[in-house]
């Protein structure tokens, strides 16, 4: 059974989704400390988390499988390139980006199959362009509009809605992101406009301007050279304000980087917020598995499950990321050892063994 059912049927290309979360995921939250996506990416730790999540998932190919047997089927063209205008990796990466920041992502159907009406090509749509009309209970979406133009809810021109397993961080992490931006801005101001943090107070007779200038120059030279400065009985050195060191900008930035990593569900050491973890060749594979399970899997499942729904993929088939052959690919020698053991136990045939490795013509067909 391929992508299509044997009996042609017309399938709606959009299931009206339910509104999830405390806020409507289709409207910009009007709150005092609101942070936009572009502004939020000004936090380096957040940009790093975004690139780790979106960039990693975007590089993993999509495959079509038969649900009952797990057999890999010939995949339609849109699984290799959902959009005419950009590579698959870019489309998937920005889909993950939308799920991370907003809690939902949108693809617009730009082409359908004549046999059953299922989509055959898409275009990724930025969340800022999409608005929605809800039912009277504000529970289900009645219609979508892109750039103010109302779209059909099925077929050509409709929107496919991807929903995240949790709310977008622009809703849940506003205070953390705003704090990181404020500390970063304060450190930049302190570096670009340094202010004196010490004054010399004269409790005696006023000195002429020439003597004041000479006194300040000698004091400055003494501080610059690291030598001991001298003050008379009428002069007193007083500290005013706080130095950048006293403000602990570095510590605050490091702490907020950890909070940003927690917000994005990414291990802190991936954004250099935890210096106590050492990666070695022995544990790097285990770390990749843990990162997949705890950080990537929620986005992977959200995309896989939506693309496997009946309005996109024929019932009985499912769409999956080819994680084992790409992200979790083992060392070639270990892979060959596993294949050899499977052959010895007669669990696979010679042809199946050849298909399991890219070192043979049979296994390298997918790389052409």
């Amino acid at each position: 059974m391929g992508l299509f059912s044997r009996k042609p049927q017309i399938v709606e290309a959009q299931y009206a989704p339910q509104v999830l979360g405390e806020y409507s995921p289709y409207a910009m939250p009007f709150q005092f400390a609101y942070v936009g996506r572009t502004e939020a990416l000004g936090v380096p730790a957040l940009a790093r988390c975004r690139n780790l999540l979106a960039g990693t998932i975007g590089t993993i190919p999509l495959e079509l499988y038969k649900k009952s047997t797990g057999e890999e089927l010939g995949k339609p063209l849109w699984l290799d390139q959902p959009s005419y205008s950009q590579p698959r990796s870019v489309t998937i990466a920005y889909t993950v980006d939308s799920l991370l920041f907003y809690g939902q992502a949108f693809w617009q159907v730009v082409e359908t199959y004549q046999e059953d009406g299922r989509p055959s090509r898409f275009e990724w749509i930025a969340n800022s362009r999409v608005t929605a009309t809800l039912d009277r209970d504000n529970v289900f979406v009645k219609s979508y509009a892109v750039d103010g133009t109302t779209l059909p809810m099925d077929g050509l021109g409709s929107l496919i809605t991807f929903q995240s397993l949790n709310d977008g961080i622009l809703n849940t992490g506003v205070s953390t992101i705003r704090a990181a931006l404020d500390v970063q801005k304060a450190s930049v101001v302190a570096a670009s406009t340094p202010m004196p943090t010490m004054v010399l107070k004269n409790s005696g007779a006023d000195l002429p301007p020439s003597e004041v200038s000479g006194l300040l120059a000698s004091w400055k030279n003494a501080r610059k050279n690291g030598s001991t400065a001298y003050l008379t009985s009428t002069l007193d050195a007083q500290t005013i304000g706080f130095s950048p060191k006293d403000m602990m900008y570095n510590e605050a930035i490091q702490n907020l980087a950890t909070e940003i990593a927690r917000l994005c569900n990414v291990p802190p050491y991936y954004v250099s917020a935890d210096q106590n973890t050492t990666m070695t060749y022995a544990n790097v594979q285990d770390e990749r598995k843990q990162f997949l399970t705890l950080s990537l899997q929620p986005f992977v499942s959200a995309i896989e499950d939506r693309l496997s729904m009946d309005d996109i993929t024929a019932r009985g088939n499912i769409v999956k990321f080819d994680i084992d052959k790409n992200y979790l690919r083992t060392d070639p020698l270990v892979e060959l050892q596993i294949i050899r053991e499977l052959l010895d136990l007669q669990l696979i045939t010679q042809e199946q063994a050849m298909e399991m490795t890219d070192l043979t013509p049979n296994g390298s067909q997918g790389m052409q």
Side-chain angles (χ1 to χ4, degrees):
M1 183 176 179
L3 176 66
F4 309 120
S5 303
R6 293 183 178 179
K7 182 179 180 180
Q9 56 179 333
I10 300 302
V11 180
E12 292 185 355
Q14 167 64 46
Y15 291 156
Q18 183 179 358
V19 176
L20 304 176
E22 184 176 354
Y23 300 98
S24 169
Y26 309 103
M28 301 291 262
F30 294 99
Q31 46 186 318
F32 177 75
Y34 174 73
V35 178
R37 174 187 174 277
T38 302
E39 186 181 12
L41 285 175
V43 181
L46 181 54
R48 170 68 171 164
C49 290
R50 182 268 175 202
N51 293 338
L52 281 170
L53 296 171
T56 302
I57 298 176
T59 60
I60 305 176
L62 288 165
E63 301 289 346
L64 184 67
Y65 297 93
K66 191 170 183 177
K67 189 175 182 179
S68 59
T69 63
E71 176 188 358
E72 185 174 337
L73 305 174
K75 56 184 177 180
L77 292 177
W78 65 264
L79 275 183
D80 278 331
Q81 187 179 351
S83 171
Y84 280 116
S85 59
Q86 59 197 20
R88 174 198 50 79
S89 58
V90 176
T91 303
I92 297 299
Y94 273 86
T95 303
V96 176
D97 179 287
S98 296
L99 292 174
L100 172 67
F101 284 104
Y102 301 99
Q104 76 282 325
F106 301 100
W107 286 8
Q108 185 173 22
V109 179
V110 298
E111 188 178 278
T112 59
Y113 290 111
Q114 293 183 354
E115 291 88 346
D116 57 7
R118 287 190 172 90
S120 59
R121 292 287 181 174
F122 307 88
E123 284 290 344
W124 174 83
I125 302 296
N127 295 67
S128 58
R129 300 175 56 195
V130 180
T131 55
T133 301
L134 308 181
D135 61 11
R136 64 180 183 178
D137 298 322
N138 291 329
V139 175
F140 289 96
V141 176
K142 293 179 61 178
S143 64
Y144 287 110
V146 174
D147 300 329
T149 302
T150 302
L151 304 178
M153 286 300 288
D154 61 86
L156 192 65
S158 63
L159 289 184
I160 300 297
T161 306
F162 297 83
Q163 292 175 291
S164 177
L165 276 62
N166 41 52
D167 291 340
I169 62 175
L170 293 184
N171 276 339
T172 60
V174 172
S175 58
T176 302
I177 299 173
R178 175 57 63 191
L181 288 168
D182 290 342
V183 171
Q184 186 171 297
K185 186 183 298 183
S187 63
V188 170
V189 171
S192 60
T193 57
M195 300 295 291
T197 57
M198 182 174 292
V199 297
L200 298 179
K201 181 180 180 181
N202 181 16
S203 58
D206 291 338
L207 300 176
S210 59
E211 292 189 25
V212 172
S213 299
L215 178 63
L216 293 176
S218 62
W219 180 270
K220 181 179 180 180
N221 289 333
R223 297 298 89 202
K224 183 177 181 180
N225 297 329
S227 59
T228 303
Y230 171 76
L231 293 175
T232 65
S233 59
T234 60
L235 295 176
D236 182 28
Q238 297 181 353
T239 302
I240 60 172
F242 299 96
S243 66
K245 182 179 181 180
D246 295 331
M247 293 297 291
M248 301 176 64
Y249 288 137
N250 289 338
E251 290 79 0
I253 291 175
Q254 194 75 0
N255 177 68
L256 285 167
T258 302
E259 294 299 306
I260 291 292
R262 291 170 178 166
L263 178 66
C264 298
N265 203 27
V266 171
Y269 55 82
Y270 275 51
V271 296
S272 302
D274 185 357
Q275 304 295 337
N276 298 324
T277 302
T278 302
M279 297 294 293
T280 64
Y281 179 80
N283 65 10
V284 66
Q285 193 71 8
D286 292 335
E287 289 296 334
R288 290 171 71 90
K289 292 180 180 179
Q290 182 177 354
F291 183 58
L292 169 66
T293 303
L294 300 181
S295 302
L296 302 181
Q297 194 61 52
F299 299 101
V300 168
S301 296
I303 296 174
E304 288 179 342
D305 293 345
R306 184 63 188 93
L307 294 179
S308 299
M309 291 176 67
D310 293 343
D311 61 337
I312 300 179
T313 302
R315 182 170 298 181
N317 298 339
I318 57 174
V319 174
K320 290 284 186 181
F321 283 99
D322 194 359
I323 294 175
D324 292 335
K325 292 183 180 179
N326 291 271
Y327 181 74
L328 295 180
R329 186 172 181 177
T330 58
D331 183 90
L333 293 178
V334 176
E335 183 181 1
L336 290 175
Q337 183 178 357
I338 295 174
I339 294 175
R340 181 176 180 179
E341 292 181 3
L342 292 174
L343 281 171
D344 292 341
L345 295 173
Q346 298 183 353
L347 297 177
I348 59 175
T349 64
Q350 189 75 25
E351 283 191 5
Q352 290 174 326
M354 295 176 65
E355 292 176 357
M356 292 176 63
T357 174
D358 290 332
L359 300 178
T360 64
N362 286 9
S364 63
Q365 291 177 0
M367 300 180 63
Q368 294 177 358

